[in-house]
Amino acid sequence: MLRDTPTTIYLKDYQPPEYLIDQVELSFELGETETRVRSTLHIRENPASEQASGTLFLHGEQLELVSLLLDGKPLESDEYQLDDEGLTIYKIPAQCLLESEVRILPQNNTALEGLYKSGGMFCTQCEAEGFRKITWFLDRPDVMSRFTTTITADRQRYPVLLSNGNPVNHTELAEGRHQITWQDPFPKPAYLFALVAGDLRSIEDSHTTPSGREVALKIYVEPENIEKCDHAMASLKHAMRWDEQCYGREYDLDIYMIVAVNDFNMGAMENKGLNIFNSKYVLASPETATDRDFQGIESVIAHEYFHNWTGNRITCRDWFQLSLKEGLTVFRDQEFSADMGSRGVKRIEDVRLLRAHQFAEDASPMAHPVRPDSYMEINNFYTVTVYEKGAEVVRMQANLLGRDLYRKATDLYFERFDGQAVTTDDFVQCMADASGRDFSQFKRWYSQAGTPELNISSAYDAGQQTYTLTIEQHCPATPGQADKAPFLIPLAMGLLDSDGHEMPLTLADETDAVAGTRMLEVSERRQPFIFTDIKEQPVPALLRGFSAPVKVHYGYGDEELMFLMANEQDGFCRWDAAQTLAQRILLARVESPEAEVPAGFIAAFENALADTGSDKALLCEVLTLPSEGYLGDQMKEVDVEGIHRSRESLKKRLALALKARFLKVYRENSLEGPYVPDAASISRRSLKNLALSYLMQLEDADVEQLCIDQFNAGDNMTDVLSALSLMADRESSAGEQLLEQFYQQWQNDPLVMDKWFTLQALSKRPDTLDRVKALMRHPAFSIANPNKVRALIGAFCSANATGFHAADGSGYQFLGDRVLELDGLNPQVASRMVRIMARWQRYDSQRQQMMKAQLERILKTEGVSRDVFEIASKSLEQ
Ligand SMILES: [Zn+2]
């Protein structure tokens, strides 16, 4: 807790560490009231540091000193100094051993950073700066050490004792205690340290790497969840194989362990050899998990596994380089998921997320570059910009190089930097060296914030048979960056003739025509591209595959958009044409609710629904209207009620016009037989449930019965939850009854209870806020559990626009109260919540005043955490 204004840390101030810790021996005595941690640090001067000052500062917070020895001698009180942030030792020798013992209280650790208890189990979370709450250390990623960890605990309560690396020794001790030692041969930064102790069961499997290493795979869970690990294990094996094939990377220890815990701030953590997961991303069975959950598990398991090379073997020099590991690893997990399921649909899902959250962040006071220049609290920079935009930046490099050169570049990266802590510049240099290309302009993607916008115009000259695309780029100002230099933007495009066929393309200075997609490299502020031998006026398909994270403005006519919906081969462009058209209609109806829905739009919907041969997953995306949040982003001032009304009424209009079609699709896509979460079945279920959501717009008793029947018959959570969420929107006793029935059935399953909370938080009923408040007192809710907070409070405030932005300000008051309540327990979770109000300027002046008042109230509260202070103060800066 802070009294002063937190200080800002700058990238430009980076200095290599003066001292290194080559080796560390840790010993934990786990107890019910306190834990003792003894550490021995092997310290030496860093030869790469300019001059060692002779003074050593080690990070450490909330540690109680028991003993401190330098080279075997106790330190006198004038030889060191302790404060809230760490330990300073004066006159440190060039090489020495520092031994310390501290007392910590994991039982009281509600921030869930460092060592804490989750239920009956001890576990850790050290990224980014949690290790300093365990012992004194150089807690920065460029200090890499070999760890040996000994854990001592009660054998009955904690039969399983885990840490990084390989187990080397197990001893039974007196008084029912036991001890195990783990040794990790790979040097790693402290943020990758992990420890777990508990009464856990495991499932086991094995994997043989191409070089013949036999790896034991283990997933540890609490005993009641042992039946729910098979999907996670299968996903891990797929991920290992994929990384061997696509990146030539294999695993390097004898054992790979995953542990599921219920109380966890993030999704999962890639600690070396011992991944710790939010149980949400491990546990699944058909009865309790939805299709989305199954897909989420596959992707998060893969993501953490991929970090073994992109993050662990090669790590970040400092936290400004976070995207070095996260952008690259998200790109890797996106490609893995694309290979496991439908590539086209995966791309659309990624773009939907990026546009909804990252573009919004870019347009807010929290906008920052993929490699930020400064921060107050690094935990606030685990953002969609660093992760998802970072992945887009890697994707662009992969596309500019092409498959073979990109592989050559990543091979070079692994070879050149294995075992080191490096920067995003080092990564890009490998792309440049492998390809011989100059990436200096490209690197602006790392240093300049904001979403670039492309204004594209076209001109067809029938006499010359030329077609000119003129592309202008600009990027809006973001905090601290008023003017930006032009980006290098890869723009994939094609031209369609009147039959919908791809035209062969020749640029003015070329001789051979290239059929299919062209990648234009836009590098100037204004740049014309002239195509020759163009026999007729074409329709351009722009930004195929979403080849760059930009906004494209091109004056398509409605007819052209419908033409692209019917003819374009690229899934993203086809979907985007449908979204653009729907967006136009929806926004027009916000202005004038009676505006006509063009007959062509309804016909296009009908044609799409009738096309039984098409990719059902893609069809689902095309038939999903843009979200309320995304529509709001397209308006000068967000009209919360207007958007909601417009979207609901268009859905109803489509349902009225196409009721028979929707019913037919519903019936044709109902599945018989046991539940399978494969791509084909998932897409059929999505389409069926999408049809049901349109049909439920009609106040039709037969349709409602269909929905209730689906709930009752459902043998899988996807169908049950789809039906239940539609019923939860209604103020009817039938809806209440189903909610109660669902609760009775699943009250003992915390992850299913999260879903139950969320669908009530998202309900369109007018009394939702009161119900959310009442649910906070429900026995299944706990404010100390991040999953519960996100499921109920987070869902209401971030995804129920009409409820949260209620005109009387009750939603804002509620969020302000919750932020302050949470901040005392868990600052990381509190700061995620306060972020929801960062975009207050987007609303009308009354709402602005009310949100501002909450932010000011939070800032004025004494003892507010650095996490929350940073977000609230930056939100108010502009
Ligand atoms: Zn990650």
Side-chain angles (χ1 to χ4, degrees):
M1 293 297 137
L2 289 140
R3 296 287 169 268
D4 308 328
T5 304
T7 48
T8 298
I9 298 165
Y10 295 93
L11 168 61
K12 61 178 166 53
D13 294 341
Y14 172 83
Q15 293 288 337
E18 288 186 7
Y19 293 90
L20 299 174
I21 303 173
D22 293 320
Q23 209 174 310
V24 48
E25 287 105 41
L26 293 171
S27 171
F28 290 82
E29 279 278 346
L30 302 175
E32 292 317 294
T33 52
E34 62 170 48
T35 286
R36 299 282 183 125
V37 185
R38 272 179 287 131
S39 92
T40 304
L41 309 182
H42 300 246
I43 297 170
R44 69 177 159 101
E45 264 179 29
N46 181 5
S49 170
E50 306 228 310
Q51 83 278 15
S53 59
T55 300
L56 172 68
F57 175 78
L58 297 173
H59 300 103
E61 292 173 14
Q62 297 157 37
L63 309 174
E64 190 188 327
L65 173 66
V66 178
S67 68
L68 193 58
L69 285 84
L70 184 65
D71 288 327
K73 290 191 212 78
L75 278 173
E76 302 294 331
S77 61
D78 61 346
E79 292 176 308
Y80 68 92
Q81 193 188 330
L82 277 177
D83 62 30
D84 289 350
E85 295 189 343
L87 166 69
T88 307
I89 299 174
Y90 309 109
K91 297 195 187 132
I92 192 98
Q95 189 152 7
C96 62
L97 271 191
L98 184 72
E99 294 165 83
S100 70
E101 180 170 346
V102 298
R103 192 188 350 238
I104 56 174
L105 305 172
Q107 285 79 355
N108 300 346
N109 181 351
T110 57
L112 314 184
E113 280 181 311
L115 179 67
Y116 64 94
K117 284 206 85 175
S118 171
M121 139 180 24
F122 283 94
C123 60
T124 52
Q125 170 58 37
C126 294
E127 186 176 0
E129 297 178 335
F131 192 75
R132 61 188 63 181
K133 294 181 171 180
I134 293 174
T135 190
W136 286 299
F137 206 75
L138 285 169
D139 190 4
R140 47 187 288 171
D142 55 356
V143 173
M144 299 171 84
S145 317
R146 285 194 174 79
F147 281 70
T148 302
T149 306
T150 300
I151 312 165
T152 310
D154 183 85
R155 190 187 327 109
Q156 205 152 21
R157 281 181 205 254
Y158 311 104
V160 174
L161 304 175
L162 310 174
S163 191
N164 316 87
N166 300 312
V168 291
N169 188 26
H170 187 197
T171 324
E172 297 297 331
L173 303 174
E175 294 169 8
R177 292 178 77 76
H178 67 151
Q179 185 177 73
I180 186 157
T181 299
W182 291 81
Q183 214 165 48
D184 185 353
F186 292 95
K188 63 169 179 287
Y191 83 86
L192 290 171
F193 171 81
L195 176 154
V196 169
D199 182 9
L200 303 170
R201 300 284 179 280
S202 63
I203 67 161
E204 291 190 38
D205 207 322
S206 71
H207 174 87
T208 309
T209 68
S211 67
R213 179 189 283 275
E214 186 79 13
V215 183
L217 311 176
K218 291 191 176 193
I219 299 180
Y220 289 90
V221 294
E222 286 166 303
E224 66 270 24
N225 292 323
I226 193 71
E227 304 296 332
K228 295 185 187 165
C229 303
D230 295 345
H231 180 65
M233 183 62 89
S235 302
L236 175 60
K237 295 179 80 172
H238 289 147
M240 294 178 90
R241 191 62 74 215
W242 187 90
D243 211 18
E244 289 161 2
Q245 285 165 357
C246 297
Y247 281 83
R249 297 299 105 197
E250 53 177 83
Y251 187 63
D252 48 17
L253 290 164
D254 300 336
I255 182 167
Y256 190 86
M257 298 174 286
I258 290 172
V259 182
V261 304
N262 290 327
D263 303 282
F264 205 69
N265 282 343
M266 311 203 206
M269 179 62 212
E270 70 263 22
N271 319 297
K272 182 79 187 184
L274 177 57
N275 289 186
I276 299 181
F277 269 63
N278 189 323
S279 52
K280 177 179 162 60
Y281 291 112
V282 175
L283 306 178
S285 71
E287 299 75 35
T288 61
T290 62
D291 292 337
R292 287 236 156 260
D293 296 330
F294 276 91
Q295 290 173 323
I297 289 167
E298 182 180 72
S299 116
V300 178
I301 293 265
H303 178 98
E304 304 309 330
Y305 174 73
F306 296 156
H307 268 315
N308 190 54
W309 274 95
T310 52
N312 300 4
R313 290 282 289 252
I314 304 178
T315 193
C316 306
R317 187 194 72 176
D318 53 72
W319 291 119
F320 298 102
Q321 320 295 331
L322 181 56
S323 199
L324 173 81
K325 75 179 180 77
E326 294 305 343
L328 175 54
T329 306
V330 170
F331 172 62
R332 276 149 58 68
D333 85 51
Q334 288 176 346
E335 286 297 289
F336 166 74
S337 295
D339 285 344
M340 295 292 120
S342 159
R343 177 162 284 273
V345 170
K346 174 64 183 155
R347 191 69 191 126
I348 291 168
E349 287 170 355
D350 294 340
V351 174
R352 205 194 278 284
L353 180 88
L354 192 83
R355 282 181 169 172
H357 300 288
Q358 200 280 322
F359 283 14
E361 185 162 85
D362 269 346
S364 83
M366 291 308 299
H368 55 273
V370 168
R371 187 195 58 209
D373 306 313
S374 68
Y375 59 77
M376 289 179 192
E377 171 52 62
I378 185 58
N379 285 330
N380 284 331
F381 284 82
Y382 286 71
T383 60
V384 277
T385 298
V386 167
Y387 277 63
E388 270 72 23
K389 186 176 178 181
E392 294 298 323
V393 172
V394 175
R395 180 181 295 275
M396 285 189 283
Q397 295 173 74
N399 287 341
L400 285 168
L401 262 57
R403 180 192 286 259
D404 293 343
L405 275 181
Y406 174 68
R407 173 64 191 267
K408 193 177 151 200
T410 56
D411 284 350
L412 177 63
Y413 174 67
F414 294 123
E415 187 194 307
R416 191 180 279 175
F417 296 117
D418 187 13
Q420 298 181 44
V422 303
T423 64
T424 55
D425 282 345
D426 292 326
F427 177 79
V428 180
Q429 194 56 48
C430 292
M431 301 289 133
D433 291 349
S435 65
R437 280 189 64 125
D438 178 0
F439 273 82
S440 41
Q441 183 182 9
F442 184 87
K443 285 206 285 193
R444 290 175 188 154
W445 283 105
Y446 286 97
S447 57
Q448 296 188 147
T451 309
E453 301 193 21
L454 299 182
N455 288 310
I456 304 182
S457 58
S458 63
Y460 179 59
D461 183 332
Q464 299 291 321
Q465 301 214 325
T466 59
Y467 181 75
T468 307
L469 281 179
T470 304
I471 304 176
E472 292 178 56
Q473 61 162 304
H474 79 279
C475 184
T478 48
Q481 295 184 339
D483 297 306
K484 328 245 170 158
F487 290 86
L488 174 67
I489 299 170
L491 180 78
M493 51 75 65
L495 300 179
L496 302 187
D497 68 17
S498 49
D499 295 326
H501 296 130
E502 198 86 50
M503 288 177 161
L505 300 184
T506 317
L507 280 169
D509 54 354
E510 297 171 342
T511 47
D512 297 328
V514 181
T517 301
R518 283 294 298 242
M519 184 81 84
L520 306 181
E521 295 191 11
V522 182
S523 57
E524 294 161 33
R525 289 192 198 277
R526 185 171 188 282
Q527 203 170 351
F529 292 88
I530 302 164
F531 298 95
T532 55
D533 272 332
I534 301 295
K535 305 274 190 266
E536 58 171 313
Q537 169 88 42
V539 175
L542 300 168
L543 203 68
R544 278 182 172 165
F546 195 71
S547 58
V550 298
K551 292 182 184 170
V552 168
H553 306 292
Y554 176 79
Y556 282 116
D558 289 358
E559 297 298 323
E560 287 177 303
L561 291 171
M562 283 184 245
F563 178 83
L564 287 172
M565 276 174 77
N567 295 291
E568 167 64 356
Q569 290 307 303
D570 179 70
F572 164 76
C573 278
R574 205 152 85 230
W575 168 76
D576 199 39
Q579 294 285 294
T580 307
L581 192 57
Q583 176 189 317
R584 274 184 199 172
I585 297 165
L586 286 160
L587 292 179
R589 284 162 66 92
V590 173
E591 296 302 316
S592 38
E594 302 308 319
E596 216 30 57
V597 178
F601 181 69
I602 295 177
F605 245 69
E606 182 163 25
N607 289 341
L609 279 167
D611 182 4
T612 48
S614 72
D615 176 346
K616 287 184 193 323
L618 189 59
L619 180 57
C620 246
E621 299 292 342
V622 169
L623 296 179
T624 302
L625 298 178
S627 71
E628 292 183 15
Y630 183 70
L631 291 167
D633 291 343
Q634 314 311 312
M635 300 185 76
K636 272 209 150 49
E637 180 183 293
V638 183
D639 178 349
V640 178
E641 288 98 0
I643 289 170
H644 181 68
R645 223 179 9 245
S646 168
R647 194 170 180 281
E648 293 295 299
S649 81
L650 183 61
K651 278 189 89 173
K652 188 166 184 172
R653 179 81 181 75
L654 287 163
L656 276 170
L658 305 172
K659 182 180 174 189
R661 274 282 170 225
F662 280 121
L663 275 170
K664 188 160 180 283
V665 165
Y666 182 83
R667 293 213 180 83
E668 283 173 356
N669 288 287
S670 294
L671 291 158
E672 310 256 310
Y675 170 85
V676 191
D678 63 0
S681 317
I682 289 175
S683 59
R684 289 184 64 176
R685 270 189 294 276
S686 314
L687 192 53
K688 178 185 77 171
N689 287 313
L690 183 75
L692 184 61
S693 79
Y694 275 100
L695 288 165
M696 283 290 278
Q697 294 290 326
L698 309 166
E699 309 286 317
D700 181 318
D702 291 342
V703 172
E704 184 165 315
Q705 195 54 49
L706 207 61
C707 191
I708 295 171
D709 291 347
Q710 175 171 322
F711 175 87
N712 287 322
D715 65 336
N716 68 81
M717 187 51 84
T718 306
D719 283 350
V720 169
L721 211 63
S722 297
L724 185 57
S725 64
L726 291 166
M727 290 301 291
D729 281 342
R730 312 208 153 177
E731 290 178 273
S732 70
S733 58
E736 293 291 334
Q737 204 187 322
L738 297 195
L739 279 168
E740 177 59 21
Q741 208 176 312
F742 187 85
Y743 170 70
Q744 291 301 336
Q745 189 176 356
W746 297 113
Q747 53 182 309
N748 296 319
D749 188 315
L751 292 176
V752 182
M753 280 296 94
D754 291 347
K755 301 179 196 306
W756 184 73
F757 283 122
T758 296
L759 63 89
Q760 295 181 79
L762 297 184
S763 170
K764 295 168 190 163
R765 296 169 52 129
D767 61 346
T768 294
L769 178 55
D770 290 334
R771 292 167 65 96
V772 168
K773 287 178 181 167
L775 285 167
M776 284 187 62
R777 296 188 294 272
H778 194 281
F781 183 82
S782 162
I783 191 102
N785 177 271
N787 284 358
K788 294 281 175 284
V789 172
R790 287 187 280 257
L792 185 64
I793 302 168
F796 175 77
C797 297
S798 66
N800 188 335
T802 43
F804 176 64
H805 294 286
D808 64 358
S810 52
Y812 308 147
Q813 173 79 36
F814 172 73
L815 180 57
D817 292 346
R818 298 293 78 74
V819 167
L820 291 174
E821 182 182 2
L822 281 161
D823 199 34
L825 292 167
N826 188 328
Q828 270 189 58
V829 173
S831 100
R832 293 264 158 191
M833 293 291 149
V834 76
R835 207 180 273 270
I836 297 169
M837 280 189 290
R839 302 180 69 226
W840 57 274
Q841 302 99 319
R842 302 278 304 122
Y843 296 84
D844 58 75
S845 61
Q846 262 186 322
R847 286 185 170 91
Q848 287 194 10
Q849 290 313 316
M850 292 188 291
M851 275 189 263
K852 250 176 97 170
Q854 292 301 326
L855 288 166
E856 282 161 357
R857 169 189 163 216
I858 290 166
L859 267 188
K860 272 191 222 136
T861 303
E862 199 181 329
V864 73
S865 69
R866 182 167 58 208
D867 309 58
V868 166
F869 179 91
E870 178 171 30
I871 304 288
S873 59
K874 285 184 175 169
S875 300
L876 287 169
E877 253 166 38
Q878 281 194 332

